Amino acid sequence: MSSELELKAVNTIRLLSVDAVSKANSGHPGAPMGMAPAAHALWTQMKFNPKNPEWINRDRFVLSNGHACALLYSLLHLFGYPLTLDDLKSFRQLGSKCPGHPEYETPGIEVTTGPLGQGICNAIGLAMAQAQFAATFNKPGFTLSDNYTYCFFGDGCMMEGVASEAMSLAGHLQLGNLIAFYDDNHISIDGDTNVAFTEDVAARLESYGWDMLYVKDADTDLNAISDAIAQAKKTSKPTCIKITTTIGYGSLLQGSHSVHGAPLKADDVKQLKKKWGFDPEKTFEVPQEVYDLYAKVGEAGAAAEAEWNTLLEKYTVEYPELGAELKRRLAGELPETFIKDLPVYSVDDDAVASRKLSEIVLSKIEKNLPELVGGSADLTGSNLTRWGAAVDFQPPSTGLGEYSGRYFRFGVREHGMGAIMNGFSAFGANYKVYGGTFLNFVSYAAGALRLSALSGHPVIWIATHDSIGLGEDGPTHQPIETLAHFRALPNLMVWRPADGNETSAAYLKAIESKHTPSVIALSRQNLPQLAGSSIEKAAKGGYVVYEASGDAQLILVSTGSEVAISIDGAKKLAEAGIPTTVVSMPDFHTFDKQSLEYRKSILPDGIPIMSVEVMSTAVWAKYSHVQFGINRFGASGKAPEIYKYFEFTPEGVASRGKKTVEFFKGSKLLSPLNTPFDSVTM
Amino acid sequence: MSSELELKAVNTIRLLSVDAVSKANSGHPGAPMGMAPAAHALWTQMKFNPKNPEWINRDRFVLSNGHACALLYSLLHLFGYPLTLDDLKSFRQLGSKCPGHPEYETPGIEVTTGPLGQGICNAIGLAMAQAQFAATFNKPGFTLSDNYTYCFFGDGCMMEGVASEAMSLAGHLQLGNLIAFYDDNHISIDGDTNVAFTEDVAARLESYGWDMLYVKDADTDLNAISDAIAQAKKTSKPTCIKITTTIGYGSLLQGSHSVHGAPLKADDVKQLKKKWGFDPEKTFEVPQEVYDLYAKVGEAGAAAEAEWNTLLEKYTVEYPELGAELKRRLAGELPETFIKDLPVYSVDDDAVASRKLSEIVLSKIEKNLPELVGGSADLTGSNLTRWGAAVDFQPPSTGLGEYSGRYFRFGVREHGMGAIMNGFSAFGANYKVYGGTFLNFVSYAAGALRLSALSGHPVIWIATHDSIGLGEDGPTHQPIETLAHFRALPNLMVWRPADGNETSAAYLKAIESKHTPSVIALSRQNLPQLAGSSIEKAAKGGYVVYEASGDAQLILVSTGSEVAISIDGAKKLAEAGIPTTVVSMPDFHTFDKQSLEYRKSILPDGIPIMSVEVMSTAVWAKYSHVQFGINRFGASGKAPEIYKYFEFTPEGVASRGKKTVEFFKGSKLLSPLNTPFDSVTM
């Protein structure tokens, strides 16, 4: 039986959520009202310290149905996180700590959610990280990591394909540290879920290798929920607790989709408050005994953290090396060795495909960088993402690896991989997570990549086969619009290195990054080492890689596999009496962060600038007066033949360079970097 | 028992595929060798006419594991489609009819596949279209439509989330006309599927509402495959026949991932040919009796089509109205009424959100346009995609609709919706298919949208909530990079109408389109009707919507909700002595198709041009000298406050316009439309 106080606490959560939505006159009251009992039962047994939301061994909670965030904000407030009633009152207003969907930057919010399906995948990433972390650092008598990851999700998440990908993998990985609650409320925006969603969710999850538990009346039966949680902790599989709830429980319109996405009517709110013993004239009312009840949870969490800190000190004595490593990682610092582990090339070194150069980087840096973990979406042999001695991250029972393994077999699941990486990165402990696929198929994960950038998870995409240069696989696999898309995303580095030094620079910046994710676009075909490149220069995002002999009459600006072609084109142009400089621009985002003075030294006034890249020209006018690119889909054939077909040869570059110089003869050209005002980037 | 001739036919398919891959020295021999028996058993009972691959009542075949396309090309050749042995010999070469993955334009190829997961969803779209078509036109004694849709798919497709979305919907929709073969070969690129994929596929499909059948030895047991097909045709659910095959069957390396994605060794090919009674020294050998065997299938198909044509003539007599409609649609013609059904607005009409204007268009045109079908990914009430009297497309047994219904409840499945639309469109009969979601979540479907553009399926995305103007839902829902991404995609119209006339123009072009898909970006907030707009002008993609009084010193170029703001900004600038013209540019793609003369009349030399749009500026330098946009993520709050915060107000536009004019004072400006050469668009 639930105590009166517990029921009051549940109703406080419900009413805070209702009041927040009503005050904003915008938002979703129904799901918070339905899920408040589960939230109460869960959070009162969770381990966390609201005074230090970053404690590495806290239990994680992810609200995958992020539109229900009034629930999460109410919980954070009631359990003592730094979120005030005034914050709740500013729900969904400009500048609020309580935006329309939960955002990572608010303390206590583990991941940004709202785009459906993402949160459950983030939770799976968090659970994978815990398993890897525990297997790496736990020792007999020193259980430094044993937290659980909990997740609420609804029908919407379950319909999204990204969830299918990650949930199947979670089953395969036997993530017993993951407990998810499926809010079976039968309502989505189009009405009853039976208009589109009549699958047997439980059978589906079981087919993935999950355990299922059921709470038939999760509107009132708190004990049943608690029992299910206790039961779920006992298994070595991920568990889903299917809770049958009434959306908008208590409202006069409960159980209908009218309570899903709009505030309750004023009368309805009043009858709710009266019914539950609250003052119908008051809003945002919190009985002191509810605060007191929940404060105990925070106090227990603080004590647990203190105990953990003591344990860590003992551990550091017993295992000085591992202890030091752990402390370094918790401080967010890279090992001093990192930079000098990066390979350096000179012009005499062999031509190598940049996907292979990437493999060399991984192989050189991994030893001193145990926080480096990653994998591929079933393209290991093509992406070259696995260093020789890597151990797979696998349940030991499979005989295929260990949980301490650092290589992930994601399966053909790009979107799931992206969302899992976000969760993994959000775990903390300085994890540097990467995922491999063909550049063209990073687009399958656009929803997750966007959230990496929005939340600032410094994950890394190893995106090989980065152009028409992949050859025979043809236009279905050849990126055209892809880099334009990614370069238009705020807070994303999009590296396309031209040789070995540039590949090292890309990894340098990607791994040093604390809040910006990276896509590293890599070639299938061999690329020569350039005389003019260096890690230091490339790490500025753009630099002169080939200087014109004499006053330049033309600047070519290029990336990746086209830089060497541009240099050869520049040599031809010089022969024809047009001294030409070549700028390599491996990452726009990093270049844009340099001083205007530096940038204008690279792309100065007075000289025509022509971009050279074998894909959409759409974003190149930012740095050039004229663009040479491919604004159509590619072709299937041998790579050199395709390059020739599209005229991406030294001759093709030179003839267009000549036309460009003639076209602008006599004009007073300004560098495109000159602008009368900054485009808004507040 | 399989006859000797049948086995010879199967081995001919295998060897043609092997030879094609060897000749190209690139491609995937393993899956064709494993799936040849199923292909033989299936194609010999399929109904199609290779002399007319467009016959509307043909059975459809989709190879979802498109990398196995050597199989498909072999079949098309052997069964008499216009694909010669020479074509097969040019497999994966530049200009070949047999590119690295199958492409829609090749006769007999129903949809482009290769990007995993798409094909099975296309097949579901094809099956939905058949159900809708049959329910619309079949009459007692006149079964004009009864074709099946068949699909081969493998582990890779099953891992992709997009397949999960569509397969769940297919189960819900009880598509008994869909029969899919799951190639359970246990191999993917990373090796044995047990490294990442240990779910119970059959149980999962059953949870979606599919029937499962099994063929345990699909390497040799042709009869078992045929029996399974016969059995599958009897049920009123989609059926999956799980066939256990040996990848690379017959090769010395059969069953290993070495035969997945690389040619067999020469010796291996020789032993194969010897073993199967072929000449080991010959390549591309086809026994005449195999041609003869397969010719019978085509002859039967031609006869069936002739019979069908006779039936159609009788039908036209019995049902003159429906018959005429059907003939019109088969001819790919729109009804004459279409254009005059489009609503026209004048400046005195109310301000209306463009999502609502879109609803008005749908409501006005649907009656005379029965080929217009569509739905929403669970955002019907927000996207406003359903006209008042619409009937849902549902299995009649649900009591929720009919198969003749034209409104789809896609569920929260954006990517699945996109891929289903492609299949639906590929069915023929002039179907105009649309799908609704928030603009930001079209990105979830990037993989399918790309294939719409690549294949030229003229589907329509109704993409509402198109900017920060959606307000409180915040940055997780506010597009920033989205239009830059879509505008960089070749062969895609991306409309962002500014008012009622422009919304009608967007639909005019989208529905008239035969080979170009459209995204129509629509506002949540109200937009005033503009004095200077008309359907005709907007249908050019860009036009002067507000003319400066006097010689313009500045041109503002804008789209959607920012056009009215720009006009108000222009009025302020005029007051300040800067006559300003405003260009509305609702679709770049359409504008680019106009003559240079027309385009330069809109964006002439000599006047500074400033773009105004509340999202990434990345692609705007193509049409402007200066860009005003938002190169960061948005914010949660009331829409008018967010617009003010980012300074997208008449004042904010005017102050930047002023700076732009000052900045370029004295410069001889060229229109950005001037270029020394065309960027490659061969």
Side-chain angles (χ1 to χ4, degrees):
Chain A
M1 276 286 293
S2 316
S3 75
E4 208 172 309
L5 174 58
E6 283 186 301
L7 290 177
K8 187 177 273 184
V10 168
N11 289 331
T12 303
I13 299 171
R14 285 178 173 136
L15 290 173
L16 274 187
S17 305
V18 165
D19 282 344
V21 172
S22 291
K23 177 92 168 39
N25 197 24
S26 170
H28 303 76
M33 296 167 77
M35 300 199 76
H40 167 87
L42 176 59
W43 280 53
T44 46
Q45 67 83 53
M46 266 169 58
K47 180 179 65 178
F48 58 87
N49 178 6
K51 304 290 175 254
N52 177 17
E54 300 300 307
W55 176 37
I56 198 73
N57 200 32
R58 71 193 181 277
D59 287 333
R60 268 69 169 180
F61 174 77
V62 174
L63 185 74
S64 192
N65 43 352
H67 55 274
C69 57
L71 171 69
L72 182 50
Y73 299 140
S74 302
L75 292 167
L76 290 174
H77 170 70
L78 292 171
F79 281 84
Y81 283 86
L83 202 81
T84 65
L85 277 186
D86 280 341
D87 290 328
L88 268 180
K89 288 176 188 168
S90 72
F91 179 51
R92 292 189 152 229
Q93 303 310 304
L94 196 59
S96 171
K97 285 167 85 173
C98 300
H101 289 88
E103 293 181 22
Y104 184 50
E105 58 202 55
T106 306
I109 293 183
E110 301 290 351
V111 286
T112 298
T113 54
L116 291 171
Q118 300 288 334
I120 178 67
C121 305
N122 301 156
I124 289 163
L126 284 161
M128 286 170 65
Q130 192 279 325
Q132 209 281 335
F133 188 72
T136 304
F137 290 107
N138 284 357
K139 295 287 169 193
F142 292 95
T143 302
L144 286 173
S145 180
D146 63 355
N147 75 273
Y148 282 87
T149 301
Y150 300 99
C151 179
F152 281 7
F153 70 92
D155 296 300
C157 291
M158 202 63 208
M159 286 190 249
E160 290 286 5
V162 63
S164 173
E165 296 178 9
M167 290 174 116
S168 173
L169 186 61
H172 168 77
L173 292 173
Q174 303 171 24
L175 298 174
N177 57 354
L178 176 67
I179 299 172
F181 293 74
Y182 166 42
D183 181 21
D184 179 34
N185 67 23
H186 275 286
I187 293 295
S188 68
I189 295 181
D190 268 18
D192 195 299
T193 51
N194 71 8
V195 302
F197 188 59
T198 46
E199 66 178 47
D200 181 340
V201 170
R204 181 173 151 207
L205 284 170
E206 282 168 347
S207 81
Y208 291 146
W210 288 51
D211 276 337
M212 286 299 305
L213 297 173
Y214 303 87
V215 176
K216 285 190 181 146
D217 170 16
D219 290 327
T220 59
D221 194 349
L222 298 176
N223 290 339
I225 303 169
S226 300
D227 290 350
I229 296 169
Q231 179 68 22
K233 287 183 165 179
K234 290 182 191 152
T235 86
S236 59
K237 295 181 178 182
T239 301
C240 177
I241 304 173
K242 177 171 159 175
I243 54 172
T244 302
T245 69
T246 305
I247 191 168
Y249 178 80
S251 153
L252 298 172
L253 298 169
Q254 70 174 34
S256 81
H257 93 291
S258 335
V259 296
H260 173 89
L264 302 188
K265 296 225 163 65
D267 280 0
D268 197 359
V269 177
K270 281 192 182 165
Q271 69 83 23
L272 267 179
K273 290 183 179 172
K274 205 178 279 176
K275 182 162 60 188
W276 289 339
F278 287 68
D279 183 341
E281 301 308 321
K282 283 194 185 155
T283 57
F284 297 96
E285 191 187 353
V286 180
Q288 186 56 45
E289 59 268 35
V290 172
Y291 276 133
D292 294 345
L293 174 69
Y294 288 156
K296 284 182 200 144
V297 177
E299 285 155 19
E305 188 191 358
E307 220 173 283
W308 186 89
N309 285 331
T310 310
L311 189 70
L312 176 60
E313 289 315 315
K314 284 189 195 150
Y315 181 88
T316 313
V317 174
E318 196 86 7
Y319 302 97
E321 217 168 300
L322 267 181
E325 187 173 290
L326 177 53
K327 284 186 169 177
R328 172 183 69 72
R329 287 179 54 181
L330 293 177
E333 285 163 11
L334 292 173
E336 283 167 19
T337 48
F338 167 60
I339 291 179
K340 60 178 194 281
D341 285 343
L342 289 168
V344 177
Y345 296 82
S346 77
V347 67
D348 300 325
D349 289 322
D350 284 345
V352 183
S354 54
R355 61 172 172 156
K356 179 78 187 165
L357 293 165
S358 159
E359 183 188 40
I360 295 169
V361 172
L362 293 174
S363 303
K364 299 264 186 197
I365 64 175
E366 65 86 9
K367 209 181 156 172
N368 294 318
L369 203 64
E371 59 265 53
L372 183 72
V373 296
S376 163
D378 195 50
L379 286 169
T380 296
S382 303
N383 300 143
L384 303 178
T385 33
R386 193 171 187 273
W387 59 83
V391 173
D392 281 6
F393 176 87
Q394 294 278 8
S397 66
T398 61
L400 298 169
E402 300 289 337
Y403 281 134
S404 59
R406 289 159 56 198
Y407 193 75
F408 308 132
R409 303 286 185 171
F410 284 109
V412 190
R413 302 179 177 113
E414 301 82 6
H415 199 178
M417 177 169 75
I420 285 171
M421 287 201 288
N422 288 339
F424 211 113
S425 178
F427 180 79
N430 216 31
Y431 273 114
K432 304 291 177 182
V433 199
Y434 66 83
T437 184
F438 288 180
L439 176 59
N440 190 54
F441 298 114
V442 182
S443 302
Y444 266 45
L449 180 66
R450 183 173 215 274
L451 285 168
S452 309
L454 175 58
S455 301
H457 302 304
V459 303
I460 302 169
W461 283 84
I462 299 182
T464 70
H465 296 63
D466 72 344
S467 77
I468 53 167
L470 65 83
E472 288 90 344
D473 275 343
T476 52
H477 288 52
Q478 293 165 348
I480 296 294
E481 78 290 4
T482 318
L483 294 187
H485 168 198
F486 298 163
R487 287 167 178 157
L489 249 178
N491 194 37
L492 178 68
M493 292 189 274
V494 185
W495 291 90
R496 189 166 185 249
D499 74 351
N501 292 330
E502 290 198 4
T503 305
S504 291
Y507 275 97
L508 171 68
K509 297 293 286 185
I511 285 175
E512 280 187 347
S513 170
K514 291 201 178 291
H515 302 294
T516 302
S518 304
V519 173
I520 306 182
L522 299 161
S523 74
R524 177 175 187 243
Q525 71 272 35
N526 285 347
L527 308 181
Q529 307 304 330
L530 305 174
S533 74
S534 75
I535 295 181
E536 198 193 352
K537 286 193 273 185
K540 290 204 153 80
Y543 67 101
V544 173
V545 65
Y546 178 82
E547 193 95 47
S549 49
D551 284 347
Q553 290 180 34
L554 176 68
I555 295 173
L556 302 175
V557 54
S558 186
T559 73
S561 41
E562 287 76 73
V563 174
I565 297 170
S566 295
I567 292 173
D568 288 345
K571 289 175 183 167
K572 285 197 180 294
L573 283 160
E575 284 165 22
I578 304 176
T580 300
T581 287
V582 180
V583 169
S584 181
M585 183 77 81
D587 176 44
F588 290 17
H589 179 87
T590 302
F591 182 69
D592 289 348
K593 296 233 176 281
Q594 308 303 319
S595 69
L596 182 61
E597 189 190 351
Y598 174 79
R599 284 181 287 137
K600 284 199 66 176
S601 76
I602 305 302
L603 300 175
D605 291 331
I607 307 174
I609 305 170
M610 178 176 112
S611 69
V612 182
E613 191 177 60
V614 288
M615 40 195 101
S616 167
T617 58
V619 296
W620 273 106
K622 189 174 165 186
Y623 301 123
S624 60
H625 303 101
V626 171
Q627 295 82 39
F628 179 30
I630 303 181
N631 293 315
R632 53 154 279 181
F633 290 103
S636 169
K638 292 189 177 70
E641 290 177 22
I642 301 176
Y643 264 74
K644 210 169 161 187
Y645 176 71
F646 286 110
E647 301 181 26
F648 278 84
T649 57
E651 296 73 22
V653 168
S655 75
R656 284 170 180 80
K658 218 167 160 182
K659 283 181 191 164
T660 298
V661 170
E662 281 159 16
F663 184 81
F664 287 112
K665 198 154 270 178
S667 302
K668 273 193 191 156
L669 271 175
L670 283 177
S671 163
L673 297 176
N674 297 287
T675 52
F677 56 85
D678 278 346
S679 68
V680 178
T681 54
M682 316 171 191
Chain B
M1 278 284 292
S2 315
S3 76
E4 208 172 308
L5 174 58
E6 283 185 303
L7 289 177
K8 184 175 274 184
V10 168
N11 289 330
T12 304
I13 298 172
R14 286 180 171 133
L15 290 173
L16 274 186
S17 305
V18 165
D19 283 344
V21 171
S22 293
K23 177 92 169 44
N25 195 26
S26 169
H28 303 76
M33 295 166 78
M35 301 199 75
H40 167 88
L42 175 60
W43 280 53
T44 46
Q45 67 83 53
M46 267 169 58
K47 179 181 64 181
F48 58 87
N49 178 7
K51 305 289 175 255
N52 177 17
E54 300 300 307
W55 175 36
I56 198 73
N57 200 34
R58 70 192 181 277
D59 287 333
R60 267 71 168 179
F61 174 77
V62 174
L63 185 74
S64 192
N65 43 353
H67 55 275
C69 57
L71 171 69
L72 183 50
Y73 299 140
S74 302
L75 293 168
L76 290 174
H77 171 70
L78 292 170
F79 281 84
Y81 282 86
L83 202 80
T84 65
L85 276 185
D86 281 340
D87 290 328
L88 267 180
K89 288 176 190 170
S90 71
F91 179 50
R92 291 190 151 228
Q93 303 310 305
L94 196 58
S96 169
K97 283 168 87 174
C98 301
H101 289 88
E103 293 181 22
Y104 183 51
E105 59 204 54
T106 306
I109 293 184
E110 301 291 352
V111 286
T112 298
T113 54
L116 291 170
Q118 300 289 334
I120 178 66
C121 305
N122 300 156
I124 290 162
L126 283 161
M128 285 169 66
Q130 191 279 325
Q132 209 280 336
F133 189 72
T136 304
F137 290 107
N138 284 357
K139 295 286 169 193
F142 292 95
T143 303
L144 286 174
S145 180
D146 62 356
N147 75 274
Y148 282 87
T149 301
Y150 300 98
C151 179
F152 281 6
F153 71 92
D155 295 302
C157 291
M158 202 64 207
M159 286 191 250
E160 290 285 5
V162 62
S164 173
E165 296 178 8
M167 290 174 116
S168 172
L169 186 62
H172 168 78
L173 292 174
Q174 303 171 23
L175 298 174
N177 57 353
L178 175 67
I179 299 172
F181 293 74
Y182 165 43
D183 181 19
D184 179 32
N185 67 22
H186 275 285
I187 293 293
S188 67
I189 294 181
D190 268 17
D192 195 299
T193 51
N194 71 8
V195 303
F197 189 59
T198 46
E199 65 177 48
D200 181 340
V201 170
R204 179 172 153 209
L205 285 171
E206 282 168 345
S207 82
Y208 292 147
W210 287 53
D211 275 338
M212 286 299 306
L213 295 172
Y214 304 87
V215 176
K216 285 191 182 146
D217 170 16
D219 290 327
T220 59
D221 194 349
L222 299 175
N223 290 339
I225 303 170
S226 300
D227 291 350
I229 297 168
Q231 179 69 23
K233 287 183 164 180
K234 290 182 188 151
T235 86
S236 58
K237 294 181 178 183
T239 301
C240 176
I241 304 174
K242 176 171 159 175
I243 55 172
T244 303
T245 70
T246 305
I247 191 167
Y249 179 80
S251 156
L252 299 172
L253 298 168
Q254 69 174 33
S256 80
H257 93 293
S258 337
V259 297
H260 173 90
L264 302 189
K265 297 225 162 65
D267 280 359
D268 196 2
V269 176
K270 281 191 182 167
Q271 68 83 23
L272 266 180
K273 290 182 179 173
K274 205 178 281 176
K275 183 161 60 186
W276 291 338
F278 286 70
D279 183 340
E281 302 308 321
K282 282 193 186 157
T283 57
F284 297 95
E285 191 187 355
V286 180
Q288 186 57 43
E289 59 268 37
V290 173
Y291 277 133
D292 295 344
L293 174 69
Y294 288 155
K296 284 182 201 144
V297 177
E299 285 155 18
E305 188 191 356
E307 220 173 280
W308 186 90
N309 285 331
T310 310
L311 190 70
L312 175 60
E313 291 314 315
K314 283 188 195 149
Y315 180 90
T316 314
V317 174
E318 196 86 7
Y319 302 96
E321 217 169 300
L322 268 180
E325 187 174 287
L326 176 53
K327 285 187 168 177
R328 171 183 67 75
R329 287 179 53 181
L330 294 177
E333 284 163 12
L334 292 173
E336 283 168 19
T337 48
F338 167 60
I339 292 180
K340 60 178 195 282
D341 284 343
L342 289 167
V344 178
Y345 296 81
S346 76
V347 67
D348 301 325
D349 288 322
D350 285 344
V352 182
S354 55
R355 62 175 171 153
K356 178 77 188 167
L357 293 165
S358 160
E359 183 187 39
I360 295 169
V361 172
L362 293 174
S363 304
K364 299 261 187 198
I365 64 176
E366 65 86 11
K367 207 178 161 178
N368 294 318
L369 204 64
E371 58 265 54
L372 183 72
V373 296
S376 163
D378 194 49
L379 286 169
T380 297
S382 303
N383 300 144
L384 304 177
T385 34
R386 192 170 189 275
W387 60 81
V391 172
D392 280 6
F393 176 87
Q394 295 279 6
S397 67
T398 59
L400 298 169
E402 300 289 337
Y403 281 133
S404 59
R406 291 158 57 196
Y407 192 75
F408 307 132
R409 302 286 184 172
F410 283 109
V412 190
R413 301 180 177 112
E414 299 82 7
H415 200 176
M417 176 170 75
I420 286 171
M421 287 201 288
N422 288 339
F424 211 113
S425 178
F427 180 79
N430 215 32
Y431 273 115
K432 304 292 178 182
V433 199
Y434 66 83
T437 184
F438 287 180
L439 177 58
N440 190 54
F441 298 114
V442 181
S443 302
Y444 266 45
L449 181 66
R450 181 172 217 272
L451 285 168
S452 308
L454 175 58
S455 302
H457 301 305
V459 304
I460 302 169
W461 283 85
I462 299 182
T464 69
H465 296 62
D466 72 344
S467 77
I468 53 166
L470 65 83
E472 288 89 343
D473 275 343
T476 52
H477 288 53
Q478 292 164 349
I480 296 293
E481 78 289 4
T482 319
L483 293 187
H485 169 196
F486 298 162
R487 286 167 178 157
L489 250 178
N491 194 37
L492 179 67
M493 291 190 273
V494 185
W495 290 90
R496 189 166 185 249
D499 73 350
N501 291 330
E502 290 197 4
T503 306
S504 290
Y507 275 97
L508 171 68
K509 298 292 287 187
I511 285 174
E512 279 186 349
S513 171
K514 290 200 178 293
H515 303 294
T516 302
S518 304
V519 173
I520 307 181
L522 299 161
S523 73
R524 177 175 187 243
Q525 71 272 34
N526 285 346
L527 307 180
Q529 308 303 330
L530 304 173
S533 75
S534 74
I535 296 181
E536 198 192 353
K537 286 193 272 184
K540 291 202 152 81
Y543 68 100
V544 173
V545 65
Y546 177 83
E547 194 95 49
S549 49
D551 283 348
Q553 291 182 31
L554 176 69
I555 295 173
L556 302 175
V557 54
S558 185
T559 73
S561 41
E562 286 77 73
V563 174
I565 297 171
S566 296
I567 292 173
D568 288 345
K571 288 176 182 166
K572 285 198 181 296
L573 283 159
E575 285 166 22
I578 302 176
T580 301
T581 286
V582 180
V583 169
S584 181
M585 184 77 81
D587 177 44
F588 290 18
H589 179 88
T590 302
F591 183 69
D592 289 348
K593 295 232 174 282
Q594 307 304 318
S595 70
L596 181 61
E597 188 191 351
Y598 175 78
R599 285 182 285 137
K600 285 200 64 174
S601 76
I602 305 301
L603 300 175
D605 291 331
I607 307 174
I609 305 172
M610 178 177 112
S611 70
V612 182
E613 190 177 61
V614 288
M615 42 196 100
S616 167
T617 59
V619 295
W620 272 106
K622 190 173 166 188
Y623 301 123
S624 60
H625 303 101
V626 171
Q627 295 83 39
F628 179 29
I630 302 182
N631 293 315
R632 53 155 279 183
F633 289 104
S636 169
K638 292 189 178 70
E641 289 177 22
I642 302 176
Y643 264 73
K644 211 170 161 186
Y645 174 72
F646 286 110
E647 302 181 25
F648 277 85
T649 57
E651 295 74 20
V653 169
S655 74
R656 284 171 180 78
K658 219 167 158 180
K659 284 181 190 165
T660 298
V661 171
E662 281 159 16
F663 183 81
F664 287 112
K665 198 155 270 176
S667 304
K668 271 192 195 158
L669 272 176
L670 283 177
S671 164
L673 297 176
N674 297 288
T675 52
F677 56 86
D678 277 346
S679 68
V680 178
T681 53
M682 316 172 191

